Amino acid sequence: TAFFDVKHYKIEWQEDFAILIDGIHETIHQVKAYEANSSPTVYNDALDGLFNKLSKGIGRKGYLNIQNSIRFTTRTISKNFEELKTANQEVTGIKSYFQSVLDDVEIYEYCNGKDYCDIDEIDILVLQKIEEIYNSNDFFGINSKTMKQYEFIRYKIYDLLDTYIFEVHKGIRIENETISFNEIVGLFNENYESYSKEYE
């Protein structure tokens, strides 16, 4: 639990969200939901924003979290994101500004092994991750582990995040306020098997 005490999530203050450990931005994340097979260039502003923050020391690593696959074409002289980092270097011997951005930023790889994830699939992955957390930790003291329990935890996590984001945009939250990892872990300690009217 000592690790949980120092781990926090910051939402909407630095990029879309950030993970802080001991008050340091370990990772900052920009989330984009462009159409499937969009060109890499539609992500230029998002990548540039991440790079600018990283260059100022805000975050040790930047990630682009995307909903749909990127369409790489022969025009970009690339077949994937990693190849964009070195395209044309053999010819010119120098990196473009865009490539220097890509050195500090990666496309986030989800637990399904893909570098993109549809919104509907995220719901499924969250349930799978909740089940994995329960199965790998005995300290929650919950004997009955069922899909109803997992669905309620997912609901509570979404509710926590939705409320937090709403309060940030309404100016209710103080600047740079975070969500403690303990606050999320605490949701796992209660047996929601008999789910409430709130859940219904």
Side-chain angles (χ1 to χ4, degrees):
T1 58
F3 175 68
F4 297 162
D5 293 339
V6 298
K7 191 170 183 179
H8 293 259
Y9 297 97
K10 185 183 283 186
I11 300 173
E12 299 290 340
W13 295 117
Q14 294 296 343
E15 294 302 335
D16 290 317
F17 71 97
I19 296 173
L20 285 77
I21 298 176
D22 284 330
I24 297 169
H25 293 82
E26 280 296 313
T27 60
I28 57 175
H29 299 253
Q30 177 64 239
V31 182
K32 290 296 177 191
Y34 295 122
E35 292 181 14
N37 296 315
S38 292
S39 162
T41 56
V42 303
Y43 296 95
N44 283 359
D45 287 345
L47 291 167
D48 203 41
L50 284 168
F51 177 73
N52 287 335
K53 287 189 173 67
L54 290 168
S55 64
K56 293 173 185 172
I58 301 171
R60 293 182 171 167
K61 188 70 182 174
Y63 286 98
L64 183 64
N65 296 61
I66 58 176
Q67 177 182 352
N68 292 301
S69 60
I70 298 174
R71 177 178 51 86
F72 294 96
T73 66
T74 53
R75 193 172 72 81
T76 58
I77 319 170
S78 174
K79 291 185 174 63
N80 61 51
F81 190 77
E82 288 303 313
E83 287 179 37
L84 278 177
K85 295 182 179 185
T86 56
N88 287 332
Q89 271 187 264
E90 291 177 8
V91 178
T92 64
I94 58 171
K95 287 185 179 184
S96 68
Y97 174 75
F98 184 66
Q99 286 170 324
S100 68
V101 171
L102 297 181
D103 275 346
D104 292 317
V105 178
E106 290 181 17
I107 297 180
Y108 183 82
E109 184 176 305
Y110 293 87
C111 56
N112 61 3
K114 298 178 188 173
D115 58 7
Y116 61 93
C117 191
D118 183 80
I119 299 287
D120 293 334
E121 189 176 1
I122 284 178
D123 283 343
I124 296 166
L125 294 178
V126 169
L127 286 175
Q128 289 173 356
K129 189 56 74 174
I130 289 168
E131 181 178 26
E132 182 184 313
I133 290 168
Y134 268 124
N135 290 334
S136 64
N137 297 284
D138 292 329
F139 56 78
F140 294 115
I142 303 295
N143 296 323
S144 177
K145 298 168 187 169
T146 66
M147 192 53 68
K148 283 183 182 177
Q149 174 77 0
Y150 306 152
E151 285 176 349
F152 198 95
I153 297 293
R154 182 182 65 183
Y155 164 78
K156 294 298 269 184
I157 291 171
Y158 288 1
D159 184 53
L160 173 70
L161 295 175
D162 286 346
T163 301
Y164 180 91
I165 291 167
F166 174 79
E167 290 175 354
V168 166
H169 287 285
K170 283 293 204 179
I172 297 169
R173 294 268 175 176
I174 61 170
E175 187 170 346
N176 292 323
E177 193 173 341
T178 62
I179 298 174
S180 166
F181 190 67
N182 274 334
E183 193 172 347
I184 295 172
V185 171
L187 300 173
F188 286 75
N189 288 319
E190 193 169 337
N191 189 342
Y192 301 105
E193 187 64 29
S194 302
Y195 57 81
S196 65
K197 194 69 180 173
E198 177 189 19
Y199 176 68
E200 291 177 7

